[in-house]
Amino acid sequence: MNGFASPVLSLLAAAVLGIAAASRATRSPAADEPSTPASVDAAQGGPSGTLVVLNKDESTAWLIDAATGEARAKLATGAHPHEVAVSPDGRRALVANYGLRSTPGHTLSVIDLAAKRVVATIDLGANRLPHGVAWLPDGRRAVVTAEMDRAVVLVDVDSGRVAAAIPTGHDGSHMLAVQADGRRVYTVNGGDGTATAIDLERRVVAGTGTAGEGAEGVALSPDGRELWVGNRDDNTVTVIDTRTMTAVATLPSARTPFRVAFTPDGRRAVVANPASGELRVFDAAARRLERAIVTGVRGRRGSPLGIAVSRDGAYVFATHGTLSAVTVASLATGEAVASYSTGSGPDGIAFSPLVIPERAGRTACPSESPSRCSRGPCSSGRSRISGEAEHGWSARLRLAVPVASVAAADRIGAYLASGGEFLDNFARSS
């Protein structure tokens, strides 16, 4: 143990006494402090299942119990993950590691949800800035946009190989949606406000339609007949007939329609509007607004980004990057019923009906980032840190003892929350 460990142990000894006193002190929660596991009774939370939440600021994926909000695992991914998709059988999640434009990502992380670990990292080679991602119905292959290279990439997930890169011919190919039979994939292109249909069997562009300015969010109706596109700069939603790739309706939305999702029965389309802090729920057949759901945490209005709908169509989950939280809303009542804490900068989210049991066990780290993993993000499977545990310990440290470095307080807070392994790892690496 090096020279750092002794001062840390001394600090911890003093901190424990102070923390005990600070923990007993009565305080009112801050208005912007997310609640964990839920801001209301847990029984009113979401359905049984697991949420996969990507925290792009810290490059992690959290596996969260959809009914209680408890974090079952925190896993390191590639740099700045943006979107995630769950396999048809609900057992795997595929993460698009977008990176930054200055250092574009080119990998996908494969997560075994039951095992709570990253089991593979797929290199996309020259296909950079992977973003929108979806599985094909065979549960073996997937498609992902390569935004920087204006392409849709077909990937064999089981073998970890790129099968094809199909050019879209448009800038800003960002999000995508797959037809139920897996024969076609649709992308939206923010560069020119269009949508592109790609024939996956022939691996060619099958048609292009006009959407709106800043086309970004996209969802395909379960029957495959309509493509709904959220136009963030127009504050509209364009409905495109997929048979002709022509717009058949333009619906007004709230500010910055960012993501779109259908309920499995196709009755409703949900649109996330981060600039106005609400979800717009549309009657899909009538193409009219059914209700608006205001989302937030403890009185602070949210900015919903990623959205996912439960497989029974009863609930919608929305991430809030500025609040580090997920809100759960009932589509039947139009009310937000719970809020769950996440990591920093949550964005992409997906729902799996798989329930991950609460049990001890370490979570594995992808080979590309062992150092980040050993320092905390995914090494503490035993402690099952849910929500603000780590941040809570850091805050108590700062209140209880004079800590010169905020970073030191945060690191020690992580140690206390993780059950002790962190200190040993830190001492060895310092």
Side-chain angles (χ1 to χ4, degrees):
M1 185 174 291
N2 63 18
F4 173 82
S6 180
V8 169
L9 291 174
S10 299
L11 178 58
L12 284 174
V16 169
L17 295 176
I19 289 168
S23 298
R24 288 192 297 268
T26 301
R27 67 177 179 91
S28 298
D32 61 349
E33 183 180 60
S35 170
T36 301
S39 60
V40 295
D41 184 73
Q44 298 179 40
S48 296
T50 298
L51 300 176
V52 185
V53 178
L54 303 185
N55 305 294
K56 62 184 180 184
D57 290 352
E58 63 182 48
S59 300
T60 63
W62 282 27
L63 309 185
I64 299 175
D65 188 293
T68 68
E70 295 181 4
R72 296 299 189 218
K74 298 194 298 181
L75 309 175
T77 63
H80 304 285
H82 279 218
E83 298 298 325
V84 59
V86 167
S87 59
D89 64 5
R91 302 193 64 82
R92 292 190 290 178
L94 193 60
V95 176
N97 300 312
Y98 187 81
L100 300 171
R101 287 198 167 271
S102 57
T103 52
H106 54 88
T107 64
L108 304 176
S109 298
V110 185
I111 299 174
D112 182 322
L113 297 179
K116 299 187 296 186
R117 65 190 183 96
V118 175
V119 294
T121 299
I122 299 173
D123 194 332
L124 301 176
N127 302 294
R128 298 162 297 172
L129 294 182
H131 196 271
V133 61
W135 291 81
L136 297 188
D138 60 16
R140 179 176 56 83
R141 297 173 299 160
V143 285
V144 60
T145 57
E147 186 178 313
M148 182 170 280
D149 297 286
R150 310 199 319 168
V152 168
V153 183
L154 177 62
V155 180
D156 186 315
V157 179
D158 287 355
S159 68
R161 296 178 179 176
V162 172
I166 308 164
T168 64
H170 297 268
D171 291 333
S173 299
H174 197 61
M175 300 294 290
L176 52 71
V178 172
Q179 199 166 281
D181 61 9
R183 294 181 179 179
R184 277 195 177 191
V185 59
Y186 299 87
T187 71
V188 286
N189 313 300
D192 56 8
T194 60
T196 300
I198 292 177
D199 185 319
L200 286 178
E201 293 182 331
R202 294 188 296 141
R203 299 180 181 180
V204 296
V205 171
T208 299
T210 300
E213 291 295 319
E216 177 155 341
V218 65
L220 184 65
S221 61
D223 62 11
R225 294 180 179 180
E226 292 184 350
L227 193 70
W228 285 46
V229 180
N231 308 305
R232 67 174 187 270
D233 296 337
D234 279 352
N235 296 330
T236 60
V237 175
T238 301
V239 181
I240 294 175
D241 184 326
T242 58
R243 291 166 293 188
T244 62
M245 289 302 291
T246 58
V248 294
T250 300
L251 312 177
S253 185
R255 287 183 294 154
T256 319
F258 190 71
R259 294 289 180 267
V260 186
F262 275 96
T263 55
D265 61 9
R267 290 178 54 197
R268 295 183 174 108
V270 184
V271 181
N273 301 272
S276 58
E278 63 188 279
L279 303 173
R280 288 287 176 104
V281 183
F282 290 87
D283 180 316
R287 296 176 188 159
R288 63 174 175 81
L289 181 65
E290 184 177 287
R291 60 170 53 97
I293 303 174
V294 177
T295 59
V297 178
R298 288 189 176 178
R300 183 175 175 183
R301 196 156 183 150
S303 298
L305 297 173
I307 52 176
V309 177
S310 60
R311 290 199 177 178
D312 61 4
Y315 295 91
V316 59
F317 305 90
T319 59
H320 299 271
T322 57
L323 301 181
S324 295
V326 169
T327 54
V328 187
S330 166
L331 289 174
T333 65
E335 296 179 353
V337 299
S339 60
Y340 304 151
S341 290
T342 67
S344 177
D347 187 7
I349 184 172
F351 174 82
S352 168
L354 182 72
V355 176
I356 300 175
E358 184 177 359
R359 64 176 184 267
R362 291 180 57 83
T363 52
C365 306
S367 57
E368 65 186 274
S369 54
S371 61
R372 273 193 303 114
C373 209
S374 66
R375 292 186 179 222
C378 67
S379 63
S380 54
R382 294 178 305 171
S383 66
R384 297 179 301 278
I385 303 172
S386 61
E388 65 182 13
E390 184 172 315
H391 301 294
W393 279 112
S394 300
R396 291 171 187 170
L397 269 172
R398 296 175 202 171
L399 288 173
V401 294
V403 182
S405 167
V406 170
D410 291 342
R411 288 184 173 186
I412 297 167
Y415 155 70
L416 291 169
S418 66
E421 288 181 88
F422 175 79
L423 180 60
D424 294 335
N425 291 329
F426 185 91
R428 282 194 295 268
S429 61
S430 297

